[in-house]
Amino acid sequence: MSEIPVPDHAMEEAVADVAEGASVATPAARRRITLVDVAGPTLIFAVSLGCWYWLSYFGMSENRRFLVPPLHEVVQEGFLDWTNFSIMLNALWLTTQVAFWGLGIAIVLGMTLAILMSQARWVERSAWPYAVALQSFPILALVPLIGIVFDYNFNARVLVCIIIAIFPIINNTLFGIQSVESGHHDLLTLHNASRWTRLWKLQLPAASPAIFAGFRISAGLSVVGAIVGDFFFRKGDKGIGILIDQYASRTTTLPRLYAATILAGALGYVVFSGFGFLTKAVTGKWHESSDIPG
Amino acid sequence: MLCVSFLCMESVRSERVLADMDGSALEFNRVSMVFPDGTEALQDVSFSVEPGEFVTIVGPSGCGKSTLLRIASGLLDPSSGSVEVDQERIGYVFQDATLMPWRTVQGNVELIPELHGYKKTERQALTKAVIDLVGLNGFEKHYPKSLSGGMKMRVSLARTLTLRPPVFLFDEPFGALDEINRERLNEETQELFKNEGFAGLFITHSIPEAVFMSTRVLVMSARPGQLVAEFDVPFKFPRKPGLRFDPQFAELSGKVSKALRGAYT
Ligand SMILES: Nc1ncnc2c1ncn2[C@@H]1O[C@H](COP(=O)(O)OP(=O)(O)OP(=O)(O)O)[C@@H](O)[C@H]1O
Ligand SMILES: [Mg+2]
């Protein structure tokens, strides 16, 4: 090994550069929770609550108040009454399982398809039109058919989720892989990288921000899919969608309808932000625009 | 030795033997390039780079300089003519640093030995040596997004140096840097060249950069690129920053500049 004195200005410059880079790159400095982070959402929550109560007590006449019951009635009947609440939680659990299975299968299937498409033009040409067709198909029109064929069971619900959730995964994975910089491809070509090495060391890591964005979209969609499946089946085990459908049909259960709706919304939110955190954990350290609010 | 795309296999052998005998690190024999869309990028280009030489090509934008390097590295096959070089052991520094943003400095520098199947401990030894060489110690764990343009280029240089290629191709690597950073990297590259003893082929638009680092400057004409002038650069290595203010340096730069102006017409 030859001994080469490093020009000292190299070091100077490097130190200066990093000192200046550090202010943008230190994760701790980047996300400190400020007053606005707490006060802003709290304010919006308070205003919404106010609107709700206003609508309930002043917007509705006495005899129509049951349509918009005040929040405390919803909480009391929906969340604090254990019989009601446990029914809802069971239903929510079923819906969660359906959504997760659907999402999981959509991820595995969608990524596999996209990777195959990215590796051979003919696969892409052959399969892409169907992916688009699936995306543009009015899924609601298909749900009753799936229900009949699969006998309204768990698998039928999962299938609805897959169909709804798979397209963003295929699309984002394929798009991510295809937007790899040509300079990076050249670098691997120069060193005779195999197709597998290229996929593993370049295409998938480069595509990962796009892939995770796809996961987040699909996560939300699969919750929608799970509830939509329920809605249309109206049969089989009770998911939160079936409960919502039932609660909506009687005036006495309207507070529970509100409670179930809130739960369904919370599920969607939790799943979506869960994937937000996952994205940060995987690409947060290096990706330029990884400041996705959790 | 490995040859790229010949018109006929017979000539391959004979030319290869010739190349071996005169021992050039890189040799272009009557290389022409016409792209499928009809663009004529290079016309009948012949020259060689001997071991211990640092040759710089200057030429108008779009005259085919990058194309020339892509052909030299085997990324592109010429339409006619041949290139002789040991393509298994070539270093190529691109115009952009082309670092992988998901890898740290260390990870980026390790990439090339990794692609060649070196073991982890070997990779680490190789990486440490070149990171020292380009003055990036202490930054091994940084991600590219927190580095300046100059530092990214140093990482790119380090990455290319890991396997100590005997031939180095540079495609305008410092074009995006500010003047001072560019001069520093010129000085460092010149020092690496002197100490590592690789044969260099460097592309640039900057005449001072060309004259400062090279042993020889070639001037290329507008498209289709042809070599139209050649200047030997006599200054001794190691070259000091002050060389840029030497009257001889100015005189030679002037000559190159004049030839380059001619090349535009
Ligand atoms: N794949 C290609 N297909 C068709 N034409 C091409 C292709 N690649 C390059 N060219 C053309 O060949 C010519 C030479 O390109 P090249 O990139 O080698 O120029 P250059 O000398 O490196 O220019 P610059 O100094 O701007 O980098 C240009 O006119 C360019 O448009
Ligand atoms: Mg170029």
Side-chain angles (χ1 to χ4, degrees), chain A residues 2 4-7 9-10 13-14 17-18 30 184 186-187 190-192 201 205-206 285-288, chain B residues 70 92 98-99 101-102 112 114 116 132-133 139 142-143 145 148 151 154 159 181 184 188 191 195-196:
Chain A
S2 44
I4 295 151
V6 178
H9 54 65
E13 187 221 351
D17 285 338
V18 164
R30 194 170 46 195
H184 284 151
D186 285 347
L187 186 63
L190 278 176
H191 296 277
N192 303 318
K201 289 199 195 294
K285 267 191 294 206
W286 61 267
H287 192 53
E288 299 278 359
Chain B
R70 290 177 71 79
Y92 196 152
T98 58
L99 303 181
W102 56 90
I112 304 236
E114 201 175 310
H116 287 267
D132 283 351
L133 221 51
F139 299 103
H142 284 257
Y143 284 91
K145 76 169 178 182
S148 71
M151 290 177 76
R154 286 207 175 85
R159 175 178 69 191
N181 253 317
R184 285 176 176 178
E188 288 168 33
E191 220 170 285
N195 292 308
E196 298 286 311

Side-chain angles (χ1 to χ4, degrees), chain A residues 117-290:
Chain A
M117 284 193 226
S118 74
Q119 298 303 304
R121 255 259 123 74
W122 67 267
V123 181
E124 188 191 339
R125 293 251 174 89
S126 318
W128 182 250
Y130 294 98
V132 173
L134 195 66
Q135 159 72 3
S136 48
F137 200 93
I139 188 74
L140 298 187
L142 197 64
V143 174
L145 193 64
I146 293 174
I148 293 168
V149 174
F150 290 89
D151 200 24
Y152 307 102
N153 60 18
F154 189 80
N155 295 347
R157 286 150 207 255
V158 172
L159 185 62
V160 173
C161 280
I162 298 173
I163 295 175
I164 286 191
I166 200 167
F167 185 76
I169 306 224
I170 298 178
N171 184 61
N172 282 32
T173 307
L174 189 60
F175 170 79
I177 288 179
Q178 286 175 342
S179 352
V180 172
E181 275 179 53
S182 66
H184 284 151
H185 275 303
D186 285 347
L187 186 63
L188 265 67
T189 309
L190 278 176
H191 296 277
N192 303 318
S194 66
R195 185 179 279 259
W196 177 249
T197 307
R198 196 180 291 271
L199 179 67
W200 201 241
K201 289 199 195 294
L202 174 60
Q203 292 171 312
L204 285 180
S208 59
I211 295 175
F212 275 94
F215 288 176
R216 284 203 302 281
I217 299 168
S218 294
L221 287 176
S222 74
V223 174
V224 172
I227 293 173
V228 164
D230 263 3
F231 252 35
F232 276 72
F233 289 180
R234 295 184 172 174
K235 285 185 191 166
D237 298 330
K238 277 187 189 150
I240 197 84
I242 290 188
L243 275 192
I244 287 176
D245 196 36
Q246 288 177 351
Y247 290 156
S249 61
R250 281 190 296 149
T251 54
T252 51
T253 52
L254 283 189
R256 272 179 267 171
L257 173 61
Y258 277 86
T261 309
I262 291 170
L263 282 183
L267 174 63
Y269 184 79
V270 166
V271 172
F272 184 86
S273 38
F275 274 89
F277 281 117
L278 197 64
T279 309
K280 256 193 199 165
V282 177
T283 66
K285 267 191 294 206
W286 61 267
H287 192 53
E288 299 278 359
S289 59
S290 56

Side-chain angles (χ1 to χ4, degrees), chain B residues 24-97:
Chain B
S24 300
L26 171 67
E27 186 168 339
F28 274 68
N29 300 309
R30 311 202 60 179
V31 170
S32 296
M33 184 71 209
V34 182
F35 284 105
D37 66 359
T39 311
E40 279 185 68
L42 294 172
Q43 194 180 335
D44 204 14
V45 173
S46 299
F47 70 97
S48 63
V49 181
E50 308 302 322
E53 265 198 312
F54 196 103
V55 176
T56 295
I57 299 182
V58 291
S61 193
C63 71
K65 304 182 295 296
S66 299
T67 304
L68 192 93
L69 289 196
R70 290 177 71 79
I71 291 174
S73 67
L75 285 174
L76 197 65
D77 287 337
S79 318
S80 67
S82 67
V83 176
E84 285 159 47
V85 63
D86 184 357
Q87 272 172 349
E88 295 302 310
R89 302 195 55 210
I90 214 164
Y92 196 152
V93 185
F94 300 101
Q95 183 156 5
D96 305 313

Side-chain angles (χ1 to χ4, degrees), chain B residues 49-253:
Chain B
V49 181
E50 308 302 322
E53 265 198 312
F54 196 103
V55 176
T56 295
I57 299 182
V58 291
S61 193
C63 71
K65 304 182 295 296
S66 299
T67 304
L68 192 93
L69 289 196
R70 290 177 71 79
I71 291 174
S73 67
L75 285 174
L76 197 65
D77 287 337
S79 318
S80 67
S82 67
V83 176
E84 285 159 47
V85 63
D86 184 357
Q87 272 172 349
E88 295 302 310
R89 302 195 55 210
I90 214 164
Y92 196 152
V93 185
F94 300 101
Q95 183 156 5
D96 305 313
T98 58
L99 303 181
M100 296 184 167
W102 56 90
R103 284 175 174 247
T104 57
V105 167
Q106 169 92 23
N108 268 290
V109 178
E110 266 185 42
L111 177 71
I112 304 236
E114 201 175 310
L115 291 175
H116 287 267
Y118 283 74
K119 289 198 193 65
K120 180 124 189 116
T121 48
E122 294 171 314
R123 291 206 305 261
Q124 279 169 343
L126 287 168
T127 309
K128 174 145 191 2
V130 291
I131 283 184
D132 283 351
L133 221 51
V134 298
L136 278 171
N137 326 54
F139 299 103
E140 289 86 346
K141 296 204 163 60
H142 284 257
Y143 284 91
K145 76 169 178 182
S146 68
L147 304 180
S148 71
M151 290 177 76
K152 282 184 195 164
M153 241 329 143
R154 286 207 175 85
V155 179
S156 179
L157 275 177
R159 175 178 69 191
T160 316
L161 275 165
T162 41
L163 296 186
R164 307 295 161 126
V167 183
F168 251 84
L169 310 174
F170 300 84
D171 192 354
E172 283 185 59
F174 311 136
L177 304 182
D178 65 70
E179 188 79 14
I180 299 297
N181 253 317
R182 185 180 196 145
E183 288 183 357
R184 285 176 176 178
L185 275 157
N186 288 168
E187 288 146 27
E188 288 168 33
T189 309
Q190 168 269 136
E191 220 170 285
L192 284 173
F193 163 69
K194 181 190 121 234
N195 292 308
E196 298 286 311
F198 52 74
L201 179 58
F202 194 98
I203 304 290
T204 181
H205 280 119
S206 156
I207 293 170
E209 181 168 87
V211 176
F212 186 81
M213 289 193 296
S214 328
T215 57
R216 195 146 56 96
V217 178
L218 304 177
V219 180
M220 201 173 230
S221 70
R223 201 162 51 94
Q226 282 172 295
L227 295 178
V228 290
E230 176 172 348
F231 300 89
D232 280 318
V233 184
F235 312 117
K236 284 205 178 57
F237 288 88
R239 295 177 180 173
K240 298 276 175 257
L243 174 65
R244 297 191 182 90
F245 307 106
D246 192 297
Q248 267 184 298
F249 187 91
E251 195 194 328
L252 189 52
S253 300

